[in-house]
Amino acid sequence: LTKEMESVCNGLEKLNSKLKMGLLKMEDYPHYSSLQQKQESLKEFQTYLSSLIDKISKYEGQRMTLNRI
């Protein structure tokens, strides 16, 4: 997950640099949009996993069954 986020952030960084310099081409926009959506999805997934870890840590050492993650 961390490597994927780094990859997306690096890609967005490069495209943002091109955008600031005015070098972003029309064919770059779909990729740019895709990377932004992917970054947002990864952030949501990280938040979900973090909340799940917090919930599970409450029951550390206890026996429990997870029906759905």
Side-chain angles (χ1 to χ4, degrees):
L1 188 60
T2 302
K3 286 183 181 183
E4 185 70 21
M5 184 60 104
E6 285 176 10
S7 173
V8 169
C9 287
N10 289 339
L12 279 174
E13 222 174 89
K14 289 176 185 175
L15 289 172
N16 280 329
S17 295
K18 285 176 78 173
L19 180 65
K20 288 178 184 175
M21 292 188 292
L23 301 174
L24 201 62
K25 299 175 185 172
M26 286 302 291
E27 55 267 10
D28 291 331
Y29 282 99
H31 183 61
Y32 184 73
S33 177
S34 172
L35 284 176
Q36 286 179 321
Q37 290 174 351
K38 196 171 189 179
Q39 183 183 40
E40 189 60 36
S41 295
L42 286 169
K43 285 180 183 178
E44 288 176 19
F45 189 61
Q46 283 178 326
T47 302
Y48 170 73
L49 287 177
S50 184
S51 70
L52 187 61
I53 289 170
D54 288 342
K55 288 176 184 176
I56 290 174
S57 67
K58 290 180 189 177
Y59 301 101
E60 189 174 337
Q62 296 179 18
R63 181 179 226 176
M64 62 185 268
T65 304
L66 295 176
N67 294 329
R68 185 177 136 202
I69 294 179

